[in-house]
Amino acid sequence: SQTIHQWPATLVQPVGSPLSLECTVEGTSNPNLYWYRQAAGRGLQLLFYSVGIGQISSEVPQNLSASRPQDRQFILSSKKLLLSDSGFYLCAWSASGGRYTQYFGPGTRLTVL
Amino acid sequence: GQNIDQPTEMTATEGAIVQINCTYQTSGFNGLFWYQQHAGEAPTFLSYNVLDGLEEKGRFSSFLSRSKGYSYLLLKELQMKDSASYLCALASGGSYIPTFGRGTSLIVHP
């Protein structure tokens, strides 16, 4: 069966510091991968998605970036965090080939102070 | 574009039945999803409807009417652990990526 991992689970970072969140998927090949952010009391906002190694699509212009160095690894980064970057970051995967159901990782709660 | 509308909050009694509605406006419908999200946790997949009608999975059922742009999630025999946010999400317009509604917070009380 498929499993999705995210780490760290929680993170407290000062404004202006860098960020690296990692997501890995097990039990499937060539998944579509996604990064979402959920701010307190708000809906899920799609940040990036990837259909393959090195292929990244950005949905929202911001100071975040994403990379996919391996088939089942997805990384969310920032060079300098802003207060507004605080939130719950969720990685998700779906099967390739038009099957749309997304399965979410446990999430990383980021607080920028 | 897509417009997804669902109630912000609902309350219900343990053991009862509750129906959470979701209406949408879109072109090129590709499917409608329901997810459950407990506070502080990730969303978990409940159902996917692409054809009209009712899909039943244990205590949870999901209904879709594409012509009316309408779906509902039906929860039977409510339990306290069903207190959570329920997210309606829509895939459409040639995209395989669902857009999520803001969610309905369900509070189940004794």
Side-chain angles (χ1 to χ4, degrees):
Chain A
S1 63
Q2 299 84 12
T3 310
I4 180 167
H5 304 278
Q6 280 186 251
W7 63 90
T10 60
L11 193 58
V12 180
Q13 292 284 95
V15 169
S17 64
L19 173 74
S20 181
L21 302 181
E22 190 163 343
C23 170
T24 59
V25 181
E26 295 177 357
T28 187
S29 296
N30 195 31
N32 297 322
L33 296 172
Y34 312 84
W35 278 111
Y36 285 88
R37 177 171 60 204
Q38 187 174 39
R42 302 187 66 178
L44 287 168
Q45 179 187 33
L46 179 65
L47 302 175
F48 301 95
Y49 68 94
S50 171
V51 298
I53 296 173
Q55 301 180 61
I56 308 294
S57 296
S58 174
E59 290 294 301
V60 182
Q62 58 213 324
N63 68 321
L64 298 172
S65 62
S67 63
R68 185 169 177 174
Q70 300 180 47
D71 181 45
R72 289 171 287 181
Q73 184 185 29
F74 205 23
I75 297 171
L76 183 69
S77 303
S78 175
K79 293 182 179 178
K80 287 186 178 182
L81 284 169
L82 306 173
L83 286 174
S84 58
D85 291 325
S86 292
F88 191 36
Y89 287 82
L90 291 156
C91 181
W93 75 274
S94 68
S96 57
R99 295 166 62 183
Y100 308 135
T101 302
Q102 293 180 327
Y103 300 94
F104 288 85
T108 295
R109 188 160 303 281
L110 171 67
T111 303
V112 182
L113 301 175
Chain B
Q2 300 154 344
N3 185 28
I4 301 169
D5 190 36
Q6 50 182 134
T8 302
E9 187 174 294
M10 299 180 69
T11 59
T13 305
E14 191 176 16
I17 299 172
V18 71
Q19 178 175 312
I20 302 174
N21 296 325
C22 173
T23 58
Y24 62 87
Q25 296 174 328
T26 191
S27 58
F29 177 87
N30 286 334
L32 189 135
F33 304 82
W34 285 97
Y35 284 81
Q36 179 191 59
Q37 186 177 24
H38 285 101
E41 298 181 8
T44 55
F45 170 73
L46 292 177
S47 67
Y48 170 57
N49 292 71
V50 64
L51 299 176
D52 290 351
L54 186 68
E55 297 273 347
E56 297 185 75
K57 278 186 186 179
R59 294 190 298 115
F60 292 6
S61 302
S62 57
F63 172 83
L64 174 67
S65 170
R66 288 172 295 173
S67 62
K68 296 182 179 178
Y70 169 66
S71 173
Y72 67 73
L73 182 68
L74 191 71
L75 291 74
K76 303 176 184 176
E77 301 170 16
L78 280 172
Q79 302 175 9
M80 299 297 290
K81 67 178 182 180
D82 297 329
S83 293
S85 182
Y86 291 85
L87 310 178
C88 174
L90 178 69
S92 66
S95 171
Y96 56 86
I97 303 173
T99 298
F100 286 80
R102 296 176 70 89
T104 299
S105 178
L106 174 66
I107 300 169
V108 180
H109 54 83

